[in-house]
Amino acid sequence: MNVYDDSRAAVRDALRLSRAMTFKAACADLPLGGGKGVIMLGPTDGPLAEERRRAVLRDFGDAVDILAGRYLTAEDVGTSMQDMTVIAESTRHVTGRPVERGGSGDPSLWTALGVESALRVACERAFGSQSLEGRSVSVVGLGHVGGDLARRLAAGGARLVVSDVDERKRALADALGATWAEPAQALVAEVDVLAPCALGGILHHDSVGALRCRAICGAANNQLASDDIADVLEARGILWVPDFVANAGGIINIQVELEPEGYSPDRADARVRAIGDTTRTVLAQAEATGTNPLAAAMELARQRLAEAGVGAAA
Ligand SMILES: NC(=O)c1ccc[n+]([C@@H]2O[C@H](COP(=O)([O-])OP(=O)(O)OC[C@H]3O[C@@H](n4cnc5c(N)ncnc54)[C@H](O)[C@@H]3O)[C@@H](O)[C@H]2O)c1
């Protein structure tokens, strides 16, 4: 659920995000395709009052239900686990509901675990060790995923710069002993790793020249404004872990929820941590073939789609 200037912008975003979901599911080797739903708020709507929000979510549930299971919805930017419960009043094709309601709970914590696993492998390649002890990381966006990632990194011994447009997140910075910075400063902080965990499009021709990190690994979807930015990062010697590889933890957890044996947090934990192995494969393949990590990850996804008999996404 997000604010868009007009419906064309919302449709464009849904298409970009669903394309990324295709690559995400394929790289994670999940038997799922790619889909995304967008609930558009107009620029003047402001936050929705409770009753209106319920009505909007139920309408969205009706739209999901029409697709009869070909699309499963889940929590993401601007929505919560409670919202999934409201959507479930209109459709059963909703995942990530609270555990007490038969779901697997908030997917963000799993996404954060997967990003941590990928980030450690990025450190292994860039600095020769997975250890976070003394590593500096700048986390941009302290929401559901970024907040939990920051906690995990701090627990692992990392020194953190953190940032959010929402000043209330300063409390978490204080609790973690992290340095608070404005978003524009956090993006160009001199750190080992930059972890973009807010919205997409943060890496573009104007921003990448100013980066002072050695590696980038975060949760935000669609971090690159365009695919050619992967080459620019490569040329600058900045190791970028493709977002759709690093942030697959939520959907991997959802797949565990869909399995006939029923949901198991232990199975989810092992599968989500395997994002580290996928990251290692992608980064090694990029190096071996002289391409960038984006090209290597897309090639892995295309191979998996071809094996599944599905046409490769453009
Ligand atoms: N939730 C998941 O499981 C999941 C899974 C895969 C990918 N993602 C992606 O990860 C990102 C974060 O997801 P989330 O669920 O934590 O969302 P969220 O809405 O909980 O958090 C986003 C945070 O970023 C902050 N923010 C917004 N614009 C900012 C800016 N310009 N600079 C700094 N901070 C800014 C917001 O105030 C908020 O605290 C999104 O791009 C999302 O698509 C999330």
Side-chain angles (χ1 to χ4, degrees):
M1 185 184 293
N2 206 0
V3 176
Y4 295 95
D5 288 338
D6 58 39
S7 54
R8 280 170 308 179
V11 168
R12 253 198 317 271
D13 206 26
L15 289 172
R16 274 181 342 121
L17 290 164
S18 59
R19 177 175 182 268
M21 289 303 282
T22 305
F23 286 115
K24 189 183 303 194
C27 278
D29 211 10
L30 302 177
L32 298 170
K36 201 73 172 182
V38 158
I39 300 176
M40 172 187 163
L41 300 180
T44 56
D45 282 346
L48 301 180
E50 198 181 325
E51 267 319 297
R52 177 114 196 277
R53 186 179 177 94
R54 276 185 65 80
V56 163
L57 291 168
R58 292 195 58 163
D59 279 356
F60 180 73
D62 287 340
V64 170
D65 204 56
I66 288 169
L67 296 169
R70 288 193 295 279
Y71 172 67
L72 307 172
T73 195
E75 178 190 341
D76 204 327
V77 170
T79 58
S80 67
M81 201 161 49
Q82 279 62 41
D83 293 335
M84 296 307 114
T85 304
V86 177
I87 292 172
E89 292 170 14
S90 307
T91 182
R92 63 189 176 88
H93 303 297
V94 50
T95 60
R97 282 189 294 153
V99 177
E100 61 277 14
R101 291 178 186 264
S104 61
D106 182 354
S108 317
L109 305 179
W110 296 103
T111 304
L113 172 65
V115 173
E116 183 199 349
S117 305
L119 191 147
R120 284 180 180 273
V121 171
C123 287
E124 175 188 293
R125 291 200 76 85
F127 309 110
S129 163
Q130 287 211 7
S131 170
L132 296 174
E133 203 60 54
R135 285 269 156 262
S136 54
V137 185
S138 176
V139 182
V140 182
L142 287 182
H144 289 98
V145 183
D148 197 55
L149 178 67
R151 280 185 211 97
R152 290 184 155 278
L153 300 177
R159 288 183 291 118
L160 297 180
V161 175
V162 296
S163 166
D164 201 291
V165 285
D166 182 350
E167 285 278 332
R168 289 172 301 182
K169 302 289 165 68
R170 267 181 190 266
L172 179 59
D174 294 342
L176 297 177
T179 305
W180 177 265
E182 291 306 312
Q185 288 157 6
L187 182 67
V188 298
E190 192 168 357
V191 286
D192 295 325
V193 187
L194 172 67
C197 295
L199 299 181
I202 192 170
L203 303 174
H204 46 75
H205 283 288
D206 293 335
S207 66
V208 289
L211 296 178
R212 292 189 295 166
C213 54
R214 172 72 186 83
I216 302 175
C217 180
N221 277 314
N222 293 339
Q223 289 166 24
L224 307 186
S226 54
D227 287 358
D228 61 327
I229 298 293
D231 291 324
V232 182
L233 291 170
E234 183 80 359
R236 287 214 48 209
I238 297 173
L239 184 68
W240 180 68
V241 179
D243 38 19
F244 55 86
V245 172
N247 70 14
I251 192 162
I252 291 172
N253 182 55
I254 281 168
Q255 170 57 27
V256 175
E257 186 179 326
L258 300 172
E259 286 170 359
E261 312 84 298
Y263 182 67
S264 140
D266 289 344
R267 223 163 57 243
D269 190 85
R271 300 259 187 91
V272 171
R273 286 181 194 273
I275 286 176
D277 300 329
T278 308
T279 304
R280 193 177 291 108
T281 303
V282 165
L283 297 181
Q285 185 65 11
E287 201 174 296
T289 55
T291 55
N292 63 52
L294 175 64
M298 286 172 77
E299 183 51 31
L300 175 65
R302 287 202 176 91
Q303 279 167 16
R304 296 238 167 98
L305 291 170
E307 281 159 23
V310 183

